[in-house]
């Protein structure tokens, strides 16, 4: 297992609803938060900047999420991410029955994991 660390700023996950609610200096209704997470899911958890651009230019000409949440995310877009882990590399074995995945975590560390297929 690798413990190499890269130098990037740690971002909070927008998928942590409790954390997001704690960071807001106002409260949103459950309906508003549900609408936000529904929109995020419908956009396949795109990068936050892309997400904000899309919800800002909704077909109706109105924001598709609560304006106060939009403003918060716009001001804090460098502190939050829709996905906080990413697949860094994939190495297949010569038999193609196993693969080593290197995953970059939100804190900048990498972990390696092995996935194998069962023998037939």
């Amino acid at each position: 297992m690798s413990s190499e660390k890269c130098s990037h700023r740690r971002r909070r996950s927008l998928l942590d609803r409790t954390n997001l609610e704690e960071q807001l200096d106002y409260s949103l209704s459950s309906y508003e938060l549900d609408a936000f997470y529904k929109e995020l899911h419908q956009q396949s958890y795109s990068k936050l900047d892309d997400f904000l651009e899309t919800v800002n230019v909704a077909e109706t000409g109105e924001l598709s999420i609560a304006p106060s949440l939009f403003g918060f995310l716009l001001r804090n877009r460098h502190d939050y991410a829709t996905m906080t882990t990413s697949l860094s590399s994939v190495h297949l074995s010569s038999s193609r029955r196993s693969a080593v995945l290197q995953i970059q975590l939100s804190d900048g560390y990498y972990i390696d994991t092995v996935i194998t297929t069962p023998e037939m």
Side-chain angles (χ1 to χ4, degrees):
M1 198 179 302
S2 172
S3 62
E4 179 183 336
K5 186 173 182 177
C6 74
S7 59
H8 79 356
R9 185 178 185 173
R10 182 175 182 185
R11 294 181 175 203
R12 296 183 185 116
S13 172
L14 282 174
L15 301 181
D16 185 346
R17 185 175 180 144
T18 303
N19 182 285
L20 178 60
E21 288 180 287
E22 289 172 357
Q23 297 302 314
L24 295 172
D25 50 351
Y26 51 86
S27 62
L28 291 173
S29 69
S30 291
Y31 174 79
E32 291 171 314
L33 281 170
D34 289 346
F36 163 68
Y37 284 110
K38 179 180 177 182
E39 185 72 30
L40 191 60
H41 179 73
Q42 288 175 339
Q43 292 191 34
S44 302
Y45 305 94
S46 60
K47 291 183 178 181
L48 185 55
D49 284 336
D50 296 339
F51 173 79
L52 292 172
E53 184 177 319
T54 303
V55 298
N56 192 26
V57 293
E59 291 177 15
T60 62
E62 298 177 10
L63 289 172
S64 55
I65 62 172
S68 56
L69 180 57
F70 177 81
F72 174 83
L73 294 173
L74 193 60
R75 286 188 309 276
N76 297 286
R77 68 184 175 277
H78 300 295
D79 296 327
Y80 287 91
T82 54
M83 293 293 200
T84 57
T85 60
S86 61
L87 186 59
S88 180
S89 65
V90 177
H91 302 284
L92 293 174
S93 68
S94 59
S95 67
R96 303 185 73 74
R97 292 201 173 272
S98 66
V100 176
L101 307 178
Q102 186 176 62
I103 301 168
Q104 183 180 1
L105 304 176
S106 62
D107 58 7
Y109 285 95
Y110 290 90
I111 60 168
D112 296 332
T113 187
V114 178
I115 298 177
T116 59
T117 59
E119 294 288 330
M120 298 287 187

